[in-house]
Amino acid sequence: MTDPLHRPVALLVMEERRRDDVYPREVVREIEALTCSRPPLTREALARDPAALAGVEVLLSGWGAPVLDADLLRHATHLRAVLVAAGSVHPLTTPGFWAREIPIVSAAAANAVPVAEFTLAQILLGLKQTHRLSRELRERRAYPADPRVAGAYRSRVGLFGLGEIGRLVAAHLRNFEVEVVATDPVADVAEAADLDMRLVELTELFDTCAVVSLHAPLLPETAGVVNGDLVARLGPGATLINTARGAVVDEPSAVAVLRARPDLTAVLDVTWPEPPSADSPFYSLPNVVLTPHLAGALGAERARLGELVLRELRRLVLGLPLHHAVAPARAHLRA
């Protein structure tokens, strides 16, 4: 670890257009007080002059992070930590980087906050079947006499994935009188019990829940796993929410079910491809609510990520253990 009296040389490399959101002036001032900071660069500028990494001990980044491959690392002989104000470090890490055993921090915990808030809002709307009733009202130009909805009282909500975001959603749902169940192949019964829920099979999740929210990472075993057969198992008026990765859903087979089941609602903040192609049925299906990947940190919300990096930097300078370092085996699990 760094000597507590030593101010390490730091370099920020990320895209310019979001830099001030992620690292607002007050955060930059504290970073400058803790380190010997060099002027920030973009990934493209660093690619033109990789020698700019000479002497750098702490690499700070965010969106537009450089890929830490052998060519770049050859110039970073003093590098001792990478702190990334973004959710995933998988796109920028390589076997050569992991071989150096340099700690790398992800701000996934900070990015989870707005995603969980967005998800909670959509779950509560889904339990009231708000989107379905709204579109039926417009079509019929009349209010329903006595709409039958699940509501947030003793209804069942299903979470597919108990990573950073899934666990935070579960924690939020503790404030409501709903039953929460989850599917996660790597979670254990004790972990689920700590979150006041139980683990079930994926089919039971879709069979029994008024709302199913997807939070699984995109892995070979999860690609397309939410297919039409599963979507068809949803009960009348149920809502499917996806804030994870678009490719977790087998979209062609899901579309067929959504066409046949106008009672269902799909809230899709992510798609595959993203954005959908111009001829995608998602634009015209009345029971699909499309949002432009806005669940994650946007605008001023992005400062949370920079603040997490600042806290980790402070710990690094003081010689304390990092709270958000990512293990190599788990780098691909971050959304």
Side-chain angles (χ1 to χ4, degrees), residues 34-273:
L34 290 166
T35 68
C36 298
S37 298
R38 294 181 178 176
L41 298 175
T42 62
R43 175 172 55 197
E44 294 74 19
L46 182 62
R48 292 192 296 269
D49 181 21
L53 283 170
V56 170
E57 298 167 81
V58 180
L59 179 64
L60 307 173
S61 195
W63 281 275
V67 176
L68 301 169
D69 57 21
D71 289 339
L72 203 62
L73 291 170
R74 190 177 303 118
H75 298 272
T77 55
H78 290 80
L79 189 62
R80 48 200 324 178
V82 179
L83 311 181
V84 185
S88 177
V89 300
H90 184 56
L92 61 146
T93 53
T94 63
F97 170 79
W98 294 115
R100 288 271 299 269
E101 298 185 346
I102 298 168
I104 184 167
V105 160
S106 160
N111 193 54
V113 174
V115 180
E117 291 170 347
F118 176 91
T119 301
L120 174 65
Q122 294 299 333
I123 287 172
L124 295 176
L125 290 172
L127 290 172
K128 282 286 194 179
Q129 297 190 25
T130 304
H131 295 303
R132 178 184 70 82
L133 291 171
S134 177
R135 62 180 176 265
E136 289 180 1
L137 188 155
R138 287 197 304 272
E139 291 166 2
R140 298 171 183 173
R141 296 178 179 270
Y143 280 23
D146 184 22
R148 309 300 293 175
V149 300
Y153 179 66
R154 296 185 179 178
S155 300
R156 180 178 281 191
V157 175
L159 306 178
F160 179 27
L162 286 178
E164 202 92 52
I165 297 167
R167 291 196 303 272
L168 190 51
V169 172
H172 287 330
L173 288 170
R174 285 176 171 173
N175 296 313
F176 302 88
E177 294 182 80
V178 296
E179 179 189 3
V180 183
V181 295
T183 299
D184 190 313
V186 299
D188 58 32
V189 173
E191 181 181 1
D194 287 341
L195 294 167
D196 292 335
M197 68 174 71
R198 67 183 181 87
L199 297 175
V200 300
E201 295 295 325
L202 193 56
T203 50
E204 182 178 341
L205 204 74
F206 280 78
D207 281 339
T208 65
C209 292
V211 177
V212 172
S213 187
L214 308 183
H215 303 287
L218 181 59
L219 305 170
E221 55 267 35
T222 61
V225 69
V226 179
N227 56 24
D229 290 341
L230 275 178
V231 176
R233 300 178 83 111
L234 290 168
T239 297
L240 175 68
I241 302 166
N242 190 8
T243 58
R245 287 290 182 263
V248 170
V249 177
D250 176 27
E251 293 180 350
S253 64
V255 163
V257 175
L258 291 168
R259 280 200 178 107
R261 293 276 309 276
D263 62 296
L264 299 178
T265 298
V267 179
L268 306 179
D269 191 50
V270 290
T271 59
W272 183 255

